[in-house]
């Protein structure tokens, strides 16, 4: 749930006045589609007025709010999986000439994961994409998930957002960003009082900012070819379509908000049927995608589905018939049950499910690794730090541990206090953030490790970098200033001397970002 400050509410109120400027069709109650009056929108093929910089600024503003939202989730395991789909899609778009070098350089290409249980994904300005855990938990294959992501990616590469909002020339980027946040808040929890207050406005705004039918068809067409280029099975596009069509026939708009922004129009369906006829079916792989079924189970449990579902998941895992089910089903149920048991504060039962799960995934390196990671996670949560480190050490790694392992390891070592092992972890994490300075969570974990090693100045700076990665400029300034104060009180030498001068430079650059942000208002 997005929290609205008084200032933001004032903006929303101001926005009401702006809504009066839009044509009457846009103010119809909760229009599902802007099929009636697209004349006011720029047509396809027309250049867009909004610059890449302006669109990115709006996206940054929205992302900054979403990162602060308690429903934003930074789960290293799910994040790694989503990235493994996203990166080939972005590369595929580039290979097909849908994504030019300038756009790739200027936009963020970041995915914001929301804990929400509803089935939704949405392209945001500036190359951000929102993805709900609810969507991950209902897709039956990675290809289905990739098809939705490719469709949304194509809205970005085809500059559909800029084309839709460049009409709103009277609005400042701040107002556009606030409007989009309003739509997101209202679509997230339709029952909330806040959504009721904003509902009418959000509907009107949604109609201004939603994509035209032609844009949807273009995103289908481009998305389909991008996912195929990236090596995904196009059958996933077809089966995802069928899934949405089915939900649409059931009028399941509550749990499928994706259908509100992506109605199954007859044109879209006809296009899809034409594509389907061209498909030569791939030889069905007899190997179950255990990695994917683990991810769907994880997404479902992390979306906090409520105590009844957690218990029913456990019952399913205890059902004597489970053993006769397909392997993928067994792995899905046992992984989910182990995680569910932890949420139900039953660590011993969680361990029991883990022990049943382990032999099932042997022979599948990706799935075994995920089960080991879960084992480390559950041990860590039960304060069994040695157990967590042992589980991590059993995962075969190359010279550089992967992100989930690295974060888990440094967190466990940090809790145990200063050590030479922690020192090693810190230097590995340092090289990670050097390559991924946008990784706010890694900076945060690094800050904790540095503090445990007694390096206060470096820890404060890492905290500042973490805030900066989430684009919280005032938070970053606060931490960098604290680092400056600390450096004045310490007799500086060696590494700290260098760190102090880095902090000065970082503070100056954040201050100028912050001033720039104030001027935009
Ligand atoms: Zn779309």
């Amino acid at each position: 749930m997005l929290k609205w400050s008084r200032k933001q509410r004032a903006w929303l109120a101001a926005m009401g006045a702006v809504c009066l400027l839009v044509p009457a069709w846009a103010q119809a109650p909760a229009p599902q589609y802007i099929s009636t009056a697209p004349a006011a929108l720029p047509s396809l093929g027309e250049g867009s007025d909004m610059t890449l910089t302006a669109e990115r600024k709006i996206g940054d503003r929205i992302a900054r709010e979403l990162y602060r939202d308690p429903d934003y989730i930074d789960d290293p395991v799910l994040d790694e999986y989503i990235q493994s789909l996203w990166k080939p899609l972005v590369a595929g778009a580039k290979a097909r000439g849908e994504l030019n070098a300038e756009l790739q350089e200027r936009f963020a290409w970041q995915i914001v994961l929301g804990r929400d249980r509803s089935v939704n994904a949405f392209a945001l300005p500036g190359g951000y994409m929102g993805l709900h855990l609810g969507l991950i938990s209902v897709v039956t294959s990675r290809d289905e998930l990739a098809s939705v992501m490719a469709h949304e990616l194509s809205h970005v590469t085809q500059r559909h957002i800029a084309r839709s909002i460049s009409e709103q020339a009277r609005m400042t980027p701040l107002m556009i960003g606030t409007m989009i946040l309003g739509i997101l808040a209202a679509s997230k929890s339709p029952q909330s009082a806040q959504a009721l207050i904003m509902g009418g406005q959000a509907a009107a705004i949604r109609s201004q900012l939603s994509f035209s039918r032609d844009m949807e068809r273009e995103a289908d067409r481009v998305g389909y070819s991008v996912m195929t280029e990236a090596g995904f099975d196009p059958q996933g596009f077809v089966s995802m379509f069928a899934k949405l069509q089915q939900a649409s026939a059931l009028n399941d708009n509550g749990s499928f908000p994706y259908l509100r922004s992506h109605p199954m129009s007859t044109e879209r369906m006809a296009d899809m049927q034409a594509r389907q006829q061209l498909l030569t079916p791939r030889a069905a792989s007899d190997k179950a995608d255990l990695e994917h079924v683990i991810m769907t189970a994880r997404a479902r449990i992390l979306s906090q589905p409520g105590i009844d579902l957690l218990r029913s998941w456990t019952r399913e895992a205890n059902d004597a018939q489970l053993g006769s089910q397909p392997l993928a089903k067994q792995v899905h149920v046992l992984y989910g049950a182990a995680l569910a048991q932890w949420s139900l504060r039953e660590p011993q039962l969680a361990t029991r499910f883990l022990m049943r799960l382990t032999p099932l995934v042997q022979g599948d390196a990706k799935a075994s690794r995920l089960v080991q990671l879960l084992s480390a996670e559950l041990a860590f949560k039960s304060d069994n730090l040695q157990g967590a480190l042992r589980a991590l050490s059993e995962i075969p790694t190359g010279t550089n541990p992967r992100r989930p392992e690295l974060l888990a390891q440094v967190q466990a070592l940090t809790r145990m206090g200063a050590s030479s092992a922690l020192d090693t972890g810190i230097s590995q994490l340092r090289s990670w953030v050097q390559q991924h300075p946008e990784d706010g969570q890694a900076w945060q974990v690094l800050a904790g490790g540095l503090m445990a090693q007694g390096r206060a100045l470096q820890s404060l700076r890492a905290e500042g970098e973490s805030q900066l990665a989430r684009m919280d400029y005032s938070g970053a300034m606060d931490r960098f200033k604290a680092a400056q104060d600390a450096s004045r009180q310490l007799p500086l030498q060696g590494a700290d001397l260098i760190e102090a001068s880095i902090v000065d430079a970082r503070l100056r650059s954040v201050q100028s970002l912050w001033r720039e942000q104030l001027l935009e208002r």
Side-chain angles (χ1 to χ4, degrees), residues 451 456-461 463-464 474-490 503-504 507:
M451 194 51 93
L457 174 57
Q458 294 172 35
S459 171
L460 286 166
R461 184 202 146 202
E463 274 185 23
S474 67
M477 283 193 309
D478 176 72
R479 299 290 79 197
F480 287 142
K481 277 183 190 152
Q484 248 179 4
D485 290 347
S487 74
R488 288 190 187 118
Q489 287 158 17
L490 293 167
V503 165
D504 290 343
L507 180 58

Side-chain angles (χ1 to χ4, degrees), residues 151-152 155 211 216 219 258 261-262:
H151 173 103
E152 297 307 316
H155 278 313
F211 301 127
E216 288 306 337
Y258 192 68
S261 52
H262 292 83

Side-chain angles (χ1 to χ4, degrees), residues 93-105:
K94 207 176 163 192
R96 289 197 61 86
E98 304 293 352
L99 170 54
N100 64 38
E102 196 193 1
L103 193 58
Q104 190 170 22
E105 152 92 33

Side-chain angles (χ1 to χ4, degrees), residues 403-434:
R403 182 176 183 260
E405 281 90 335
L406 185 54
L407 294 181
Q409 193 190 17
V410 174
Q411 279 172 307
L413 289 167
T414 299
R415 248 296 181 102
M416 293 163 89
S419 68
S420 62
L422 179 56
D423 231 13
T424 312
I426 284 174
S427 46
Q428 284 171 327
L429 204 46
R430 268 191 202 283
S431 28
W432 172 270
V433 293
Q434 245 161 32

Side-chain angles (χ1 to χ4, degrees), residues 172-187:
T172 64
L174 176 69
M175 292 166 93
I176 295 172
T178 307
M179 277 185 2
I180 295 175
L181 284 163
I183 297 169
L184 292 179
S187 71

Side-chain angles (χ1 to χ4, degrees), residues 276-307:
Q276 197 171 2
Q277 277 157 12
L278 294 174
L279 273 185
T280 36
R282 284 191 187 185
S285 159
D286 51 356
K287 207 165 169 287
D289 188 347
L290 297 184
E291 184 188 26
H292 182 76
V293 299
I294 286 177
M295 291 304 162
T296 55
R298 187 172 180 86
R300 188 86 169 107
I301 302 295
L302 293 189
S303 72
Q304 298 172 337
I307 202 155

